[in-house]
Amino acid sequence: MTAEPDLVGPDLVGTEFWGRPHRERYAEFARLRGLNAPVYYAEPRIPLVRSGKGFYALVRHADVVEASRNTKVFSSEPAATSPEPPPWIAALFGRPMVNMDDPRHGRLRRIVSRAFSPKMLAGLADEIQATATKIVDDVIREGADDFVEQVAARLPIEVICAMMGIAPERRPYVLKRIDVMTEYSGVRGSLFHPRTLRLLAGNLKAIVDLHRLVAKMGRERRGNPRGDLVSALVNANVDGEALTVRELGSFFDLLLVAGNETTRNALSHGLRLFTENPDQRAYLLEDYEARIGPAIEEIVRYVSPIIQFRRTLKEPYTLGGHAFQAGDKVVLFYQAANRDPEVFPDPDAFDVARSPNPHVAFGGPGAHLCLGANLARMELKIMFRELFTRLPDIRTKGDPTLLLSNFDNGVIRQPFTF
């Protein structure tokens, strides 16, 4: 792989860029979209932690969509996460579905997709509503402090734990370990700072703890199902397919991080967007049931809860004016593609009536489109309805504390009032 000439501008690898205000990030992405070809970025090598292989940044909507669809060329193996974890991580914990190609990816997706069927999701509606009601009950009783802790972080983890069959008294244990896992997503602090290894060690321990928890559940439910998702995944279904205990652990990791962070971030950023754009909030509430669907699509487009994923080319291919070689790495920046003016008129405007809205916030079209997208949509619809109905003047207060990450567009804390 040959590096492109150095360009004047921020480095998408270092922490300095990801600590900048969002508007400055979007301005840099706009500059990159205006160039003739994807730009190459080198990555540092950290022994035992990161491979140090560089990547080309895909920032145009058309390029991200094409790479997402063409899984025969743009591979999710050895890893779709960025930076790439070392091979020993997969050897130790198993390879999550997001880091697989067909036929392994197709097999696992067929098994777990049944958990997100329309019938299964319809059965979850009452659980989500009950959870949303309890959350608002608690907010009214406790008073407003941090929207992330009191609302946004609670809803998805409660729903996921209910789906998996995790007892309520074990859920704080799970949430604490999710927070540790996502603390080492992308970049957080200096790449060479001693805390990097401390974060990695904590991340690995959290994964081990959760794998042990779900492995124990899987063994208990195999042959003795209880009607929850773990029972369905470890017992043979009508096609004779089931997850092994190790595959169950990897799926649980993915569900807890992807399923939790997307809804959590969309709720946190969403309340701020409705606070800063009262006209959009008023428009939504004039006919909530009819307008909340497009509003959710605009929230996730505008926010892009997951910033990027990585692909590795299996063969030579020309994309976006650049001739790639087999083995080259590309990073699909969804946050950049979702602000492409070639696709979204006035892309920096928050417009809940935007139509069409072909965003790639759920991972782009193709085999890796987010399985839990409809679950996230349902959670957001029910939670915002509960908030706006029972706390009609709810709004953010002051600036959020944002996660420093090139992967997770997270909110650590968001003061609010009602």
Side-chain angles (χ1 to χ4, degrees), residues 6-21:
D6 291 337
L7 296 170
V8 176
D11 180 0
L12 300 189
V13 175
T15 58
E16 192 274 339
F17 175 75
W18 298 102
R20 291 188 174 195

Side-chain angles (χ1 to χ4, degrees), residues 97 102-116 233 237 239 241 243 371:
M97 187 169 62
D102 287 339
R104 291 189 299 170
H105 173 265
R107 171 188 167 268
L108 288 178
R109 191 174 177 101
R110 283 193 301 273
I111 297 172
V112 302
S113 64
R114 296 180 176 90
F116 302 99
L233 294 176
N237 55 48
D239 296 324
E241 294 180 318
L243 293 186
L371 268 172

Side-chain angles (χ1 to χ4, degrees), residues 217-370:
M217 293 174 61
R219 288 191 293 268
E220 292 172 348
R221 268 103 165 137
R222 181 164 286 142
N224 185 29
R226 301 184 187 178
D228 53 42
L229 181 54
V230 172
S231 299
L233 294 176
V234 299
N235 289 283
N237 55 48
V238 293
D239 296 324
E241 294 180 318
L243 293 186
T244 66
V245 170
R246 192 177 190 189
E247 289 170 339
L248 179 65
S250 294
F251 172 69
F252 191 36
D253 290 345
L254 180 62
L255 183 62
L256 287 173
V257 176
N260 175 59
E261 292 302 305
T262 298
T263 301
R264 172 177 174 163
N265 294 342
L267 279 170
S268 301
H269 286 291
L271 182 63
R272 177 181 55 80
L273 288 170
F274 283 123
T275 300
E276 295 174 351
N277 299 273
D279 58 323
Q280 296 298 303
R281 175 172 172 157
Y283 173 81
L284 168 65
L285 295 182
E286 286 173 2
D287 192 350
Y288 183 87
E289 296 303 321
R291 295 174 179 175
I292 186 58
I296 288 171
E297 302 307 312
E298 179 67 351
I299 290 170
V300 295
R301 177 199 74 87
Y302 199 90
V303 169
S304 298
I306 301 301
I307 296 172
Q308 47 85 357
F309 270 120
R310 178 179 298 232
R311 300 288 186 267
T312 301
L313 276 87
K314 292 182 177 180
E315 60 188 60
Y317 192 85
T318 299
L319 174 69
H322 182 87
F324 291 99
Q325 303 302 313
D328 283 353
K329 312 284 184 178
V330 295
V331 172
L332 286 59
F333 283 98
Y334 305 123
Q335 197 172 67
N338 284 334
R339 298 292 181 105
D340 191 338
E342 294 293 321
V343 178
F344 306 100
D346 196 7
D348 295 325
F350 178 60
D351 179 9
V352 300
R354 185 181 296 275
S355 181
N357 194 348
H359 65 79
V360 290
F362 288 119
H368 287 277
L369 180 67
C370 178

Side-chain angles (χ1 to χ4, degrees), residues 75-138:
S75 171
S76 293
E77 297 181 0
T81 51
S82 186
E84 266 183 49
W88 62 265
I89 293 287
L92 185 62
F93 297 111
R95 189 184 298 274
M97 187 169 62
V98 71
N99 291 346
M100 291 182 181
D101 293 330
D102 287 339
R104 291 189 299 170
H105 173 265
R107 171 188 167 268
L108 288 178
R109 191 174 177 101
R110 283 193 301 273
I111 297 172
V112 302
S113 64
R114 296 180 176 90
F116 302 99
S117 66
K119 181 179 179 180
M120 291 291 290
L121 291 180
L124 277 175
D126 290 343
E127 177 74 33
I128 297 172
Q129 181 61 62
T131 302
T133 299
K134 176 65 165 56
I135 287 172
V136 175
D137 287 344
D138 291 345

Side-chain angles (χ1 to χ4, degrees), residues 147 267-276 281 393-400 414-418:
F147 185 77
L267 279 170
S268 301
H269 286 291
L271 182 63
R272 177 181 55 80
L273 288 170
F274 283 123
T275 300
E276 295 174 351
R281 175 172 172 157
D393 58 346
I394 186 172
R395 61 193 183 279
T396 56
K397 182 179 68 174
D399 294 331
Q414 175 61 74
F416 77 114
T417 187
F418 65 89

